[in-house]
């Protein structure tokens, strides 16, 4: 037997299938066996946190608008956009840098570190005394969200058997929307228990409310000269702090999970790769030796070339094209406008005629629609080609956005008063039409979301972590732009034109899925790499 090129591999420099199978036969599992279902559940607590921390702000913002003396942060529309946008900027950095750390130190290591960052960011946001101290901790929390959105899908795709890789990565998306639904539900419970955003009136020049009377903030916020002495604005802090519970569960659970076997193999550590893979394979259909053979072959081909960095990948024609496709998958995912519903739905429903308290509660309805849509997505990604699911999503999203534009433009706009409120002449059914359309919109978006699956599959093994970090970072940069721009667009253009603009953008996204996005469903990660090399080189 030839001398090994790496003492950690225990394989010859040019191993035969027999060498690999013998090493697989003699290498035990590196620890207690874990089912794929358990591993996915634990790892996607990071995705649940992603969903909770992005969704919770929808219910927190109406309380943050209250005056400081009432427990709020006295936000204006620019600060509102900043609270959401800074998290997305932090997420972009977290995704890009987290991808590098994931490639260098391992997927499991990165997720453990992110659990700690989730806890620090959540506690910091909860205790922030003003918006200027809230901003940096929202950035820290965004760092964790972005790192999780980049690392968890890779960990799942590299650990899953090929036959269930798509549905397993869809668990990641399901847990994101479950986290959002959990956030909406807790927001509604806490808001209902506290009677919605309210203030204690000290003096009301209009005479509508007596001194010492509690009043809904919606009813008094526009009264000139109003003086308040207290309120329930601190409810937003309780909404935020609940995220520490799944963060602690993530840290504990990941300590019991194995590292990604493909990360080990990409670094030439084949014994560790076999040991880790055996911990999550215990099915007659699983061919551990066959999987390791594919990993060894990909590693051998990559070692024949100059070691890849992000610059090397960008300067290589075929990998540059894949990186560009990954970035546009992220761009178009955010340009669906999904985060306008996730962050600002109470604002949208308030614009449609509901009270702030009812808007927070109705957020749960769209959260349920989103969760059901994600569950349907399991079936779609398991049965249909990735591209076809993406085309279905973009078609449905485009129609939903144009429908919202028509309802706001032709139905609601004629009943808007000069101060932006809704006149009593509005037909009672119209606000409910908006709820129904937003519910259909989020259902289609979540049932057809394949960008997370695609960006976890299309990149070569040697740059998978850093390249996915760039793609997810691009997604979060667009998230920040949309999050900051949406309140400004609503104020300047109105809801009708705002949704019309997003609808037009999604026509372009539909063409992108139709003519540009590669198909990955029927191939292993190693086969996808070879196919894309041949297609784009």
């Amino acid at each position: 037997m030839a001398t090994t090129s790496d003492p950690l591999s225990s394989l010859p420099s040019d191993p035969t299938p027999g060498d690999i199978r013998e090493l697989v036969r003699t290498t035990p599992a590196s620890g207690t066996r874990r089912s794929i279902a358990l591993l996915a559940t634990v790892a996607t607590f990071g995705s649940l946190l992603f969903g909770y921390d992005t969704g919770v702000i929808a219910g927190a913002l109406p309380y943050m608008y209250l005056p400081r003396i009432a427990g709020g942060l006295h936000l204006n529309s620019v600060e509102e956009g900043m609270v959401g946008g800074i998290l997305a900027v932090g997420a972009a950095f977290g995704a890009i840098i987290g991808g590098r750390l994931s490639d260098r130190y391992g997927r499991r290591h990165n997720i453990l570190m992110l659990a700690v960052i989730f806890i620090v960011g959540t506690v910091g946001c909860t205790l922030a005394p003003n918006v200027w101290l809230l901003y940096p901790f929202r950035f820290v929390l965004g760092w964790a969200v972005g790192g999780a959105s980049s690392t968890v899908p890779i960990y799942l795709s590299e650990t899953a058997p090929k036959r269930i890789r798509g549905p397993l990565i869809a668990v990641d998306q399901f847990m994101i929307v479950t986290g959002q639904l959990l956030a909406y539900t807790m927001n509604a419970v806490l808001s209902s228990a506290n009677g919605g955003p309210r203030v204690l009136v000290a003096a009301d020049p209009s005479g509508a409310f007596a001194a010492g009377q509690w009043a809904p903030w919606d009813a008094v916020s526009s009264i000139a000269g109003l003086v308040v002495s207290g309120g329930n604005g601190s409810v937003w802090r309780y909404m935020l702090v609940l995220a520490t519970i799944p963060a602690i569960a993530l840290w504990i659970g990941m300590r019991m999970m194995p590292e990604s076997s493909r990360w080990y193999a990409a670094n030439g550590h084949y014994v560790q790769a076999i040991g880790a893979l055996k911990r999550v394979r215990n099915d007659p259909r699983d061919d551990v030796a066959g999987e390791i053979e594919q990993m060894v072959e990909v590693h051998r081909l990559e070692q024949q070339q100059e070691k890849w960095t992000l610059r090397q990948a960008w300067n290589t024609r075929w990998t540059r094209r894949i990186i560009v496709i990954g970035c546009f998958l992220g761009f178009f995912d955010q340009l669906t406008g999904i985060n306008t519903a996730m962050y600002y739905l109470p604002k949208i429903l308030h614009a449609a005629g509901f009270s702030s308290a009812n808007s927070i509660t109705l957020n749960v309805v769209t959260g349920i629609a989103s969760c059901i849509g994600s569950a349907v997505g399991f079936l779609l990604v398991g049965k249909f080609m990735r591209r076809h699911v993406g085309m279905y999503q973009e078609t449905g999203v485009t129609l939903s956005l144009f429908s919202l534009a028509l309802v706001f433009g032709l139905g609601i706009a004629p009943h808007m008063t000069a101060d932006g409120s809704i006149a009593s002449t509005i037909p009672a059914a119209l606000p409910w039409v908006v709820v129904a359309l937003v519910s259909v919109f989020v259902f289609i978006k979540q049932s057809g979301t394949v960008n997370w699956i695609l960006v976890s599959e299309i990149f070569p093994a040697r740059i998978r972590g850093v390249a996915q970090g760039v793609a997810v970072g691009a997604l979060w940069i667009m998230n920040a732009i949309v999050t900051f721009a949406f309140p400004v667009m609503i104020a300047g253009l109105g809801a009708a034109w705002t949704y019309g603009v997003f609808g037009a953008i999604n026509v372009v996204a539909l063409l992108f899925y139709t003519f540009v996005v590669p198909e990955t469903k029927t191939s292993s990660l190693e086969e996808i790499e070879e196919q894309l090399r041949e297609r784009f080189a």
Side-chain angles (χ1 to χ4, degrees):
M1 183 176 284
T3 305
T4 58
S5 59
D6 182 348
L8 293 173
S9 73
S10 295
L11 280 176
S13 56
D14 189 18
T16 66
D19 294 328
I20 295 170
R21 291 188 178 275
E22 177 61 21
L23 184 61
V24 169
R25 187 186 67 81
T26 58
T27 302
S30 58
T32 305
R33 291 188 185 275
R34 306 294 183 195
S35 71
I36 287 291
L38 176 63
L39 180 142
T41 300
V42 170
T44 54
F45 267 107
S47 306
L48 181 117
L49 283 161
F50 169 0
Y52 190 95
D53 283 320
T54 52
V56 71
I57 201 67
L61 283 171
Y63 287 93
M64 291 181 176
Y65 263 108
L66 269 61
R68 292 184 182 87
I69 195 171
L73 297 176
H74 199 54
L75 298 185
N76 56 41
S77 59
V78 173
E79 290 169 339
E80 177 185 19
M82 290 287 287
V83 168
I86 281 181
L87 182 138
V89 172
F93 279 92
I96 295 169
I97 297 174
R100 291 178 177 273
L101 294 175
S102 173
D103 276 350
R104 177 171 295 183
Y105 299 110
R107 321 308 189 200
R108 173 180 174 272
H109 176 278
N110 214 38
I111 295 173
L112 283 168
M113 179 186 68
L114 291 169
V116 176
I117 297 176
F118 268 119
I119 295 170
V120 172
T122 299
V123 172
C125 288
T126 301
L127 300 178
N130 55 57
V131 71
W132 293 103
L133 285 177
L134 179 66
Y135 289 154
F137 283 107
R138 287 287 287 175
F139 182 88
V140 170
L141 195 56
W143 190 292
V145 167
S149 66
S150 172
T151 306
V152 172
I154 290 183
Y155 183 68
L156 294 177
S157 70
E158 291 185 340
T159 306
K162 180 175 71 173
R163 66 181 184 277
I164 62 168
R165 190 178 66 236
L168 191 68
I169 300 172
V171 173
D172 176 67
Q173 178 66 23
F174 181 75
M175 289 294 276
I176 292 172
V177 298
T178 299
Q180 291 166 0
L181 176 58
L182 180 62
Y184 300 154
T185 302
M186 297 313 300
N187 288 350
V189 169
L190 288 169
S191 180
S192 178
N194 287 274
R198 297 187 302 158
V199 294
L200 186 62
V201 176
D204 177 10
S206 71
F209 295 91
Q213 183 179 355
W214 284 92
W217 181 241
D218 291 346
V220 300
S221 59
S222 60
I223 297 176
L226 179 78
V227 179
V228 302
S229 59
N232 63 355
S234 60
V235 169
W236 68 267
R237 300 182 188 274
Y238 299 104
M239 294 175 174
L240 266 59
V241 76
L242 291 173
T244 56
I245 298 172
I248 293 169
L250 175 65
W251 186 82
I252 293 172
M254 282 305 298
R255 290 183 62 83
M256 299 184 287
M257 297 298 121
E259 180 55 85
S260 161
S261 56
R262 283 181 166 82
W263 178 80
Y264 278 132
N267 288 276
H269 304 330
Y270 301 127
V271 172
Q272 290 90 333
I274 295 168
L277 193 61
K278 283 188 172 183
R279 291 187 66 184
V280 292
R281 295 289 189 273
N282 192 23
D283 190 292
R285 293 173 291 179
D286 294 329
D287 180 9
V288 173
E291 287 191 64
I292 296 295
E293 285 178 27
Q294 287 187 324
M295 297 179 203
V296 171
E297 178 63 14
V298 168
H299 183 57
R300 183 185 66 79
L301 291 173
E302 289 179 346
Q303 281 198 317
Q304 291 174 357
Q305 304 174 1
E306 181 184 352
K307 185 177 179 180
W308 287 7
T309 63
L310 182 59
R311 177 175 294 181
Q312 169 80 16
W314 185 256
N315 290 334
T316 303
R317 184 171 183 264
W318 72 279
T319 48
R320 180 174 64 249
R321 289 191 174 191
I322 297 171
I323 291 171
V324 170
I325 290 172
C327 289
F328 272 91
L329 283 167
F331 289 153
F332 284 127
D333 180 72
Q334 295 305 299
L335 288 168
T336 57
I338 184 61
N339 288 315
T340 66
M342 191 163 69
Y343 298 159
Y344 299 123
L345 186 60
K347 187 182 187 75
I348 296 167
L349 296 181
H350 189 257
F354 291 103
S355 70
S356 290
N358 287 338
S359 297
I360 293 171
T361 301
L362 285 170
N363 213 0
V364 177
V365 174
T366 59
I368 292 172
S370 179
C371 215
I372 294 172
S374 186
V376 171
F378 281 107
L379 303 177
L380 296 183
V381 299
K383 186 172 183 179
F384 299 105
M385 296 291 107
R386 311 281 197 248
R387 286 177 56 254
H388 295 168
V389 176
M391 291 159 64
Y392 144 77
Q393 172 199 266
E394 289 300 336
T395 301
V397 162
T398 300
L399 293 174
S400 298
L401 289 169
F402 282 138
S403 297
L404 280 167
L406 288 173
V407 170
F408 274 102
L410 301 180
I412 294 175
H415 301 279
M416 298 285 287
T417 61
D419 63 358
S421 60
I422 303 294
S424 59
T425 56
I426 187 172
L430 270 182
W432 292 101
V433 171
V434 173
V435 173
L437 283 174
V438 172
S439 297
V440 170
F441 164 63
V442 297
F443 173 87
I444 293 173
K445 171 64 179 72
Q446 301 299 2
S447 63
T449 295
V450 290
N451 69 295
W452 295 109
I453 298 175
L454 286 166
V455 298
S456 68
E457 293 177 332
I458 62 176
F459 296 118
R462 178 62 70 178
I463 61 164
R464 187 169 293 138
V466 65
Q468 179 158 348
V470 170
V472 176
L475 177 151
W476 283 109
I477 290 170
M478 186 57 68
N479 180 302
I481 293 170
V482 172
T483 300
F484 182 78
F486 183 75
V488 179
M489 291 175 71
I490 288 287
L493 299 177
W497 281 106
T498 297
Y499 283 115
V501 169
F502 280 109
I505 292 171
N506 278 273
V507 173
V508 179
L510 175 59
L511 297 175
F512 174 73
Y513 270 99
T514 304
F515 297 110
V516 178
V517 174
E519 186 53 64
T520 61
K521 177 180 170 63
T522 59
S523 304
S524 70
L525 296 180
E526 291 74 22
E527 290 166 345
I528 293 167
E529 181 172 337
E530 288 303 311
Q531 291 164 5
L532 294 181
R533 187 199 307 266
E534 292 175 6
R535 174 178 172 181
F536 293 126

